[in-house]
Amino acid sequence: MTEAAAPVDELSALGTPLRKFRFAAAGEGNKQEGGARKFIQTAQQAEEYGYDTFVVPDHLGDQIGPIAALGALTQATDRIRLGTSVLANGFRHPVVLAKDLATIDVLSKGRLEVGIGAGWKADEFEAAGLDYDRPGVRLAKLDETLTILDTLLRGQECTFEGKYYQVHGVKGTPRPRQGPRPPLCTGGGGPRMLKLAAKHADIISIVPVTTSNGKGLLSGITLDKTIEKVNLIKEAAGDRFEQIELNWAITAIVITDDREKTAEMALSAIERGLHPDLEVDVELSVEEILSSPYVAIGTFEEIADQMRRVRQLTGMSYVGIFPTQMDAFAPVIPLLREE
């Protein structure tokens, strides 16, 4: 377990110790953010705001390459942890990836968090001429990759005979600075992905269920659905559940003095199809919107109270913020910093 994941004394509704809050900002270096030239400035601003981690996604569209970008950030930042959210497993062989990740951990003096998933954007795989396997195969490949990374990122020799990857006596070098290895993060919304995460991960990211075309289901953003996923992870992880840090990303932040009215407006916009990344499969109430972990509406103090309630009811403590909302959320961080 990393030092940042050390629990505090209070117990959550799940009967497990609460962890201190941590906060992750993100950057893609795309045109909307000012391109690659402003990317380093964005990460430095996140560090100044007090975010604990700065993460980079992994897509083939308008964004920078995450491995090269993190290499630059090892020298351009001092304290903030550096991560991927998340690497697409099908883009790289795990042995080659382990070498790059270990190098980043050494150069950053032990600040790396390794986020990796099965890959979900079929159009990117197809455009690049890469195989986009059915879900079961992608999960099986990720299972093997996480096993290989676990060995190599400990600086140990790996011999592995899997269905998809075979490794013959490769030693993990350079030896990462963190011990026993940099933390592994994976997650998702479906039961199979969450069970796989419970098997391997130090940090599990809990996301709403998505459709086959990548849209999030509105029903998946509720607090009740989130608690269901946490309970699934707890059952699958067994004795190691208390060692796992739970993460989620807030998808919408609105600073306002009138939470209820703003929530009503948000529901109206959703019903009229003004949120193209959402598929409306249920009708939610204002209270369900306001209690959702994935929506933060209110004053800074009200949003801080909401974060406390989410943590108390779910055990989730590691809050992710989307790139365009890093500035808006920053004033909440001091309100929760030592909790």
Side-chain angles (χ1 to χ4, degrees), residues 145-156 180-181 184 200:
T145 287
L146 288 165
T147 301
I148 294 167
L149 290 179
D150 180 59
T151 299
L152 292 176
L153 291 178
R154 295 174 187 267
Q156 298 173 353
R181 55 155 171 72
L184 297 175
H200 291 283

Side-chain angles (χ1 to χ4, degrees), residues 178-189:
Q178 294 181 82
R181 55 155 171 72
L184 297 175
C185 172
T186 192

Side-chain angles (χ1 to χ4, degrees), residues 1-20:
M1 189 188 305
T2 64
E3 181 180 351
V8 294
D9 292 334
E10 188 180 357
L11 296 181
S12 71
L14 298 171
T16 55
L18 293 178
R19 295 170 180 271
K20 288 185 177 181

